Amino acid sequence: MTSETITADSAGTWQLGDRTVNRIGFGAMRLTANADGTPSDRDRAISVLRRAVELGVNHIDTAAFYFSSLRSANELINRALGPYPDDLVITTKVGPGKDPSGEWLWATPEQLRGQVEENLRQLGRDHLDVVNLRIPRLRTTGSIAEHFGALAELRSAGLIRHLGISNVRPDHLAEARAIAPVVCVQNPYGIDARPEDHDFLRACGEQGVAFVPFFAIAGTGREAGASGTESEDVRAVARAHGASAAQVRLAWTLQRGPHVLAIPGTGNPDHVADNVAAGALRLSAEEVSRLESPHPTGE
């Protein structure tokens, strides 16, 4: 499918609290390093961000822990897009971090303010549009009330506009909503998702909560990215539409509900246009059903 004239509004919009965003957004994780782990090219990363905004992307997902030895996603966003367009919504995440030795850690409730302030400084903002509480492991994490409550206090103080949660279960959403409004759930999700993940996506829509999948293209490849091998079902649907497998995966995900927001990431300016164009790809009900895996695996 041609992507030259397709913009991010092709997939429609959704309300994140009081902010309207196009349902095709951009994920910043891939900006800081190449697939082999080497630092990305700074000018190329900046061009990717600017191209995304030119194509109508007004929802960017990032985090202070998206960095390599030379690049910080937040600082690239600040450099490329500041002063920010009025309609741009920047969503970030807190919870994970690194200690002075470089080892990963998970913040205590008391440490979350420092992480919020780090995002504010790097992005050059006086408040954050949306902050997601990212939890370590969705299958084993217990109560999130203390952590989410700490973020709710920062929201009341004016440092955060809206709150979300990431890598969570339905009981986490119920627990968080009892403390403060939740505008989005950000979880791994795609064609390879488990039946309970489909159920959770639908439940979010019933509650008016945006569902923001990550790894929608990578699938079970997760942080390593797409494996390059696709099922015959994905390949057949792609051929029928003159589209790529990645575009089919994105289109399928978006068609799971009007509350689903896509945040595909890339370090390639050409891929930005391809990802945005996926918002205009309409799959038939038969194709959508064909692509749903009945027995997926993974965490």
Side-chain angles (χ1 to χ4, degrees):
M1 63 184 295
T2 180
S3 60
E4 291 184 3
T5 60
I6 299 175
T7 53
D9 58 357
S10 63
T13 63
W14 182 260
Q15 289 289 126
L16 276 178
D18 61 348
R19 307 299 304 275
T20 301
V21 297
N22 290 324
R23 292 178 60 219
I24 282 280
F26 179 82
M29 185 178 72
R30 303 289 181 196
L31 289 178
T32 62
N34 298 312
D36 61 3
T38 59
S40 62
D41 179 83
R42 179 178 178 81
D43 291 339
R44 182 178 171 92
I46 287 173
S47 71
V48 166
L49 286 161
R50 290 177 175 168
R51 181 61 175 149
V53 172
E54 286 173 1
L55 291 169
V57 168
N58 61 3
H59 175 213
I60 294 178
D61 174 79
T62 187
F65 54 85
Y66 288 170
F67 63 87
S68 66
S69 59
L70 295 178
R71 304 280 176 263
S72 157
N74 280 354
E75 290 172 347
L76 286 168
I77 291 168
N78 191 348
R79 173 68 179 84
L81 304 178
Y84 300 111
D86 291 340
D87 68 337
L88 181 65
V89 173
I90 300 177
T91 298
T92 191
K93 293 173 285 296
V94 295
K98 288 189 175 182
D99 65 21
S101 69
E103 293 297 317
W104 283 101
L105 57 80
W106 291 88
T108 65
E110 295 76 21
Q111 292 172 324
L112 291 177
R113 183 183 183 109
Q115 292 190 339
V116 166
E117 290 176 343
E118 182 181 20
N119 279 280
L120 289 168
R121 176 184 60 78
Q122 292 177 353
L123 290 167
R125 306 293 297 270
D126 61 5
H127 74 278
L128 298 173
D129 297 321
V130 183
V131 173
N132 285 315
L133 172 64
R134 178 67 176 265
I135 71 166
R137 294 179 62 85
L138 64 88
R139 288 177 181 268
T140 58
T141 297
S143 171
I144 64 171
E146 194 174 355
H147 284 77
F148 193 78
L151 291 182
E153 291 178 4
L154 297 178
R155 174 178 174 268
S156 297
L159 297 182
I160 301 170
R161 193 164 190 150
H162 299 296
L163 296 174
I165 49 179
S166 178
N167 209 34
V168 293
R169 303 183 304 258
D171 59 299
H172 292 140
L173 176 58
E175 188 176 33
R177 293 186 76 208
I179 296 170
V182 175
V183 300
C184 57
V185 165
Q186 188 182 98
N187 268 20
Y189 183 83
I191 286 173
D192 309 299
R194 301 180 302 269
E196 57 264 37
D197 297 326
H198 301 313
D199 293 341
F200 191 19
L201 179 149
R202 286 189 289 269
C204 286
E206 292 166 359
Q207 297 172 70
V209 176
F211 189 91
V212 188
F214 55 92
F215 301 143
I217 294 177
T220 55
R222 299 174 68 86
E223 289 87 349
S227 65
T229 59
E230 288 288 355
S231 70
E232 176 53 31
D233 287 334
V234 172
R235 292 197 301 269
V237 173
R239 286 194 299 269
H241 289 272
S244 69
Q247 288 175 321
V248 167
R249 282 179 170 269
L250 284 173
W252 180 90
T253 303
L254 284 167
Q255 286 183 227
R256 304 305 290 179
H259 65 299
V260 178
L261 309 180
I263 49 169
T266 180
N268 185 324
D270 295 332
H271 291 170
V272 174
D274 292 341
N275 290 341
V276 168
L281 178 58
R282 300 292 184 265
L283 307 179
S284 69
E286 180 183 1
E287 288 171 330
V288 170
S289 178
R290 177 181 183 180
L291 293 172
E292 182 174 335
S293 172
H295 42 71
T297 59
E299 183 184 353

